[in-house]
Amino acid sequence: MAERKKQTVVSSGISGLDEILRGGLPASNLYIVQGAPGSGKTTAALQFLRAGVALGEPCIYVSLSQTRAELEAIALSHGWTLDGIRVEELSASDSINRAADQTIFQTTELRLDETRKAIESAIEEHKPSRLVYDSLLEIRLITADSPRFRRELIAFKAFLAQRNIVALLLDTQTSETDRTGEEVDGIAHGVIRLDKSLEEYGGVRRRIEVSKMRGVPVADGYHDMAIREGEGVVVFPRIVPGAAARTVKPQLIKSGVDTLDEMFGGGQE
Ligand SMILES: Nc1ncnc2c1ncn2[C@@H]1O[C@H](COP(=O)(O)OP(=O)(O)OP(=O)(O)O)[C@@H](O)[C@H]1O
Ligand SMILES: [Mg+2]
């Protein structure tokens, strides 16, 4: 069988996820990580950047929703530091205040421009290989209308692609954004969803789904996931029945009794 041409991939930094992705995230692309509040987006994103830091790559965390102190607290709860990660803290109110200095009318365009310029200049200065954007919800709220949001995202994607950056855009799902998410999915190279649900009994059930990954035959469907102290997000790839049997031939041990071996299809595994 002709070997599939290997594309360059980068490690997601999340145990078990690279396996589902057949090696990692295809390089130089934009990915969306969706999930409800508390589903583990920020934790997963920190792991992705820390994997970059471990390889000596410049990494940047653009935070619109969390302060540096909050990020540090999340990292610290796992015994991690933000060393090597440049945190670009852009509280939405900062850009509003700056915009307000220039004019008494705060237009959507002005606020978007301010935010975009701040992010782009941070990227130009720091030249990251990996970027996290936390989160798209703030841009959704500024733009309100989805065509404007979509255009903004397409422009940002082009900006990142020119600079060979692998980017994770975190998208906080609220009940209102559940439906608008779909058009955004079309722009991204891949979409990963984090799911957190309450079962009738017992603890929270966390699951992960790679709902889209261009050019990669990912293991589809839900895979169990956990957030563990010290390890962060951990993924347990679901075993696909039949997949293992096709690749691994079992070793058979003969009992020495021919009729018995025959009954077990040649011997016991
Ligand atoms: N040290 C830890 N050990 C185990 N679980 C933790 C630890 N710290 C946080 N968690 C769990 O991880 C969850 C937070 O994950 P995270 O902040 O990454 O979510 P998020 O998707 O970014 O949320 P938001 O949309 O609110 O920013 C918490 O709800 C908590 O249950
Ligand atoms: Mg978060």
Side-chain angles (χ1 to χ4, degrees):
M1 195 173 72
E3 185 127 333
R4 188 162 63 100
K5 193 164 176 278
K6 280 245 157 67
Q7 50 184 346
T8 330
V9 295
V10 304
S11 169
S12 66
I14 295 160
S15 159
L17 182 57
D18 287 350
E19 205 175 308
I20 293 169
L21 298 171
R22 309 259 179 140
L25 296 162
S28 312
N29 281 304
L30 181 151
Y31 300 95
I32 290 179
V33 178
Q34 289 177 339
S39 57
K41 301 179 295 297
T42 299
T43 309
L46 285 173
Q47 285 167 262
F48 165 71
L49 293 189
R50 283 170 51 81
V53 170
L55 296 168
E57 297 173 7
C59 297
I60 187 165
Y61 197 111
V62 178
S63 180
L64 277 80
S65 63
Q66 274 145 135
T67 62
R68 191 191 164 88
E70 281 174 312
L71 280 177
E72 258 163 7
I74 294 173
L76 198 65
S77 80
H78 292 286
W80 307 333
T81 67
L82 299 182
D83 291 353
I85 299 173
R86 158 125 176 207
V87 179
E88 199 62 34
E89 199 186 317
L90 292 174
S91 94
S93 62
D94 269 1
S95 52
I96 295 167
N97 289 341
R98 258 181 283 134
D101 288 343
Q102 293 162 14
T103 169
I104 53 165
F105 301 108
Q106 293 171 25
T107 64
T108 300
E109 287 302 323
L110 202 54
R111 290 168 70 186
L112 275 178
D113 273 359
E114 286 288 319
T115 312
R116 194 196 311 111
K117 268 187 222 150
I119 294 168
E120 289 183 357
S121 68
I123 292 172
E124 295 294 18
E125 191 190 318
H126 198 57
K127 302 201 171 18
S129 309
R130 297 184 185 222
L131 175 139
V132 167
Y133 192 101
D134 189 2
S135 79
L136 287 180
L137 182 62
E138 282 69 24
I139 304 299
R140 276 184 201 284
L141 295 176
I142 297 177
T143 52
D145 66 323
S146 63
R148 185 71 190 82
F149 175 65
R150 196 185 152 86
R151 281 207 300 281
E152 195 66 26
L153 206 59
I154 291 172
F156 191 50
K157 178 183 169 176
F159 179 87
L160 295 174
Q162 282 162 9
R163 289 159 185 80
N164 286 322
I165 298 170
V166 192
L168 291 193
L169 310 191
L170 312 189
D171 198 5
T172 311
Q173 271 177 325
T174 63
S175 46
E176 292 134 57
T177 58
D178 268 355
R179 255 165 288 126
T180 52
E182 285 169 16
E183 63 187 53
V184 177
D185 294 0
I187 298 165
H189 197 75
V191 179
I192 297 169
R193 291 182 209 273
L194 306 184
D195 180 67
K196 187 182 95 171
S197 57
L198 283 175
E199 302 291 297
E200 208 151 299
Y201 189 83
V204 168
R205 179 161 190 208
R206 296 184 187 276
R207 295 181 298 181
I208 190 168
E209 186 215 355
V210 180
S211 70
K212 164 180 159 178
M213 196 57 61
R214 286 185 182 142
V216 186
V218 290
D220 57 6
Y222 283 117
H223 302 270
D224 280 321
M225 185 190 116
I227 303 180
R228 288 181 179 162
E229 194 170 342
E231 290 178 84
V233 172
V234 189
V235 175
F236 309 97
R238 201 182 70 254
I239 296 161
V240 183
R246 279 197 297 276
T247 51
V248 184
K249 276 212 178 108
Q251 272 208 326
L252 300 178
I253 298 167
K254 304 256 184 219
S255 67
V257 183
D258 287 349
T259 45
L260 193 62
D261 288 340
E262 211 174 299
M263 266 172 65
F264 284 107
Q268 300 240 37
E269 276 183 39

